[in-house]
Amino acid sequence: MAKVRVSPTILTNGISIVKGTEFNNERTVGSFTAAVNLFAMRDVDELTILDVNASREKRHIDVNLVKLAADSVNIPLCVGGGVNDLFTFEKLLRAGADKIVVGFGAIERPELIKKLSQRFGSQAVVLSIDAKTENSLEAATLSGTLPVLNKNIIDLAREGSEAGAGEILLQTISLEGTMRGMNNNLIEQVSSAVPIPIIAGSGASNYEDIYQAICSGASSVSAGAIFQFTEHTPKGAREYLKSRGMETRISY
Amino acid sequence: MPLSIEVLDLGLNNIGSLVNGINSTGDHKVRVINNGNESQGSDLLIIPGVGSFGAAMEELTNRDFTETIYKHHELNGRILGICLGMQLLTENSEESPGISGLGLIPGKVQKIPNSWGSKVPHVGWDGITLSNNNPLKNTGEWNTKDFYFVHSFRVVAEDPSNVLATTRLGKYDFVSAIHSENIIGFQFHPEKSSIAGKNLLSDVIEWI
């Protein structure tokens, strides 16, 4: 059985790394290459890189940026930002991404998830679904940059799974970057509704939060702020999870 | 001992990590080829793979790789198949009905059933258990390390002697590595498996 994963998540505006809260107000917090190299040295389970401006600027995450990251690491890479066609998906795979996140693109083209999974295999396709607030299962966005969909999140998850998505990146906009804790209720409901793994994101403030998210059904936890702004580390997270009885990756 | 290694570029995935991984095991002559007629023969032929079975077999055909592989195999050259590359070595796959694989290892590819009790696709780090008569050196080492898996389908080997390693998934074990006299296949990605993966590749190079 696959071990639980903790995936440090780097957000980029296309050039530097940024961090904001609630999918907004991002400010530059550092150099892209420095962050990638740092996490590579720390031998993390998986690295997630998302270009948060891509969708709203009507472009996709820079292929060269992805290649730069892929050439620096020998661990899995999950990337995303503005991907809405097969050609871009293929370019990103060739640049070194193992999995690619699709969000907004899947609304613009409902057949996209199906076509991507048929050509590239489900395992490469990650569908991004965001709850607008931690209080409701009804309001959702994909990529967070759009008018609220007012669709039931569980329905969206099921549709995505049936269309061929391999994993769901599940975030909650109102919690993002705030380190107020994670939306475990949502994680539990989505995880039990679909057979595919859930990557839970948004709100982790300490190792216990990560542990609880996994207890709620997440196979992986995507965390940004906690690793960038606090003394918590991916290794510390792995050690904590192990001390709580979870099977974590054996590392060097 | 420096080897001559050819990596087939199927156009579907990045082989940078793989080439880096191979280069880190020694001073080998590594060539990435886009078409079968670029092949100059080699000690080791590597078939990487990302994508769907059908799409990959189509690329193998379009790029004249199928003949290259068969010729290499006939001359007893070594072959390493990774992830989808391992699946392509078998006869067919549920993922793409009607499309034949290379047929170098008897067996077929089937979807991992949801009924096994694990999330599917099988994504993440997982351990392997090597079978007893395996050609690799550091068996004890590999049985205690984790490697990166990302797949929805698994190989069902017809002949147990082709099973190099298994991994538990939910209630059952699946074949996570296969081998024959001159072939090794890994379902996981050694080139994405950090230090353990790099060291395993060294063992594979030794086997050659």
Side-chain angles (χ1 to χ4, degrees), chain A residues 69-145:
Chain A
D71 287 346
S72 319
V73 308
N74 57 353
I75 50 160
L77 211 55
C78 177
V79 308
V83 180
N84 59 6
D85 65 78
L86 273 75
F87 182 58
T88 305
F89 199 96
E90 186 171 319
K91 277 199 296 189
L92 290 171
L93 279 181
R94 287 183 64 75
D98 297 285
K99 296 183 295 171
I100 296 165
V101 178
V102 175
F104 174 43
I107 307 182
E108 278 192 317
R109 302 179 54 192
E111 285 290 290
L112 183 65
I113 298 291
K114 187 161 163 209
K115 289 203 166 90
L116 288 172
S117 63
Q118 279 170 349
R119 170 119 180 109
F120 304 106
S122 290
Q123 73 290 335
V125 183
V126 178
L127 174 63
S128 168
I129 300 178
D130 322 304
K132 191 127 198 327
T133 72
E134 62 254 52
N135 305 314
S136 170
L137 287 176
E138 293 300 317
T141 73
L142 299 181
S143 304
T145 55

Side-chain angles (χ1 to χ4, degrees), chain A residues 129-140 153-154 170-176 178-191 198-205 209-210 212-218 221-222:
Chain A
I129 300 178
D130 322 304
K132 191 127 198 327
T133 72
E134 62 254 52
N135 305 314
S136 170
L137 287 176
E138 293 300 317
I153 296 173
I154 312 294
L170 188 65
Q171 300 179 94
T172 298
I173 298 179
S174 57
L175 290 173
E176 193 263 336
T178 63
M179 294 191 279
R180 287 197 291 118
M182 303 188 72
N183 193 346
N184 295 323
N185 175 41
L186 178 69
I187 295 168
E188 195 189 325
Q189 298 223 27
V190 175
S191 174
I198 307 296
I199 305 167
S202 307
S205 68
D209 282 346
I210 295 175
Q212 290 297 339
I214 296 173
C215 286
S216 304
V221 173
S222 151

Side-chain angles (χ1 to χ4, degrees), chain B:
Chain B
M1 186 190 90
L3 298 174
S4 148
I5 301 174
E6 283 187 346
V7 181
L8 306 188
D9 186 351
L10 297 182
L12 293 170
N13 64 306
N14 165 250
I15 41 195
S17 308
L18 184 52
V19 172
N20 289 340
I22 297 287
N23 280 331
S24 72
T25 66
D27 213 2
H28 308 293
K29 196 140 183 263
V30 184
R31 263 190 316 274
V32 175
I33 56 176
N34 293 305
N35 192 291
N37 49 34
E38 285 174 35
S39 175
Q40 296 166 29
S42 61
D43 298 311
L44 172 66
L45 197 64
I46 302 182
I47 312 174
V50 164
S52 66
F53 192 89
M57 281 311 301
E58 197 182 311
E59 288 301 327
L60 282 184
T61 311
N62 292 343
R63 292 165 185 253
D64 299 318
F65 280 145
T66 326
E67 283 317 304
T68 309
I69 295 168
Y70 286 140
K71 205 164 96 180
H72 179 86
H73 186 252
E74 261 164 64
L75 296 172
N76 275 319
R78 305 287 197 174
I79 296 174
L80 171 64
I82 295 174
C83 193
L84 181 64
M86 162 171 142
Q87 295 179 358
L88 298 175
L89 295 166
T90 64
E91 297 165 276
N92 54 60
S93 172
E94 246 175 35
E95 186 177 19
S96 313
I99 302 197
S100 297
L102 294 165
L104 293 174
I105 300 253
K108 55 188 185 226
V109 178
Q110 288 180 340
K111 185 134 202 287
I112 299 169
N114 294 340
S115 57
W116 280 16
S118 158
K119 291 280 189 175
V120 183
H122 176 218
V123 185
W125 298 82
D126 219 333
I128 63 173
T129 305
L130 288 163
S131 47
N132 286 329
N133 67 322
N134 74 80
L136 298 173
K137 263 175 52 176
N138 297 304
T139 302
E141 173 97 354
W142 311 133
N143 284 339
T144 61
K145 294 286 179 279
D146 285 325
F147 299 92
Y148 189 74
F149 287 84
V150 56
H151 61 119
S152 308
F153 291 80
R154 96 274 188 202
V155 163
V156 177
E158 215 173 272
D159 184 349
S161 72
N162 288 135
V163 176
L164 174 56
T166 58
T167 295
R168 169 130 296 215
L169 197 57
K171 295 185 272 212
Y172 301 101
D173 289 329
F174 74 93
V175 177
S176 43
I178 54 176
H179 70 138
S180 70
E181 199 182 311
N182 57 333
I183 297 174
I184 283 185
F186 294 135
Q187 179 60 71
F188 51 88
H189 287 267
E191 78 282 15
K192 293 284 179 171
S193 297
S194 188
I195 300 166
K198 170 177 166 286
N199 290 343
L200 178 62
L201 280 174
S202 289
D203 254 19
V204 173
I205 297 293
E206 287 260 0
W207 163 72
I208 318 280

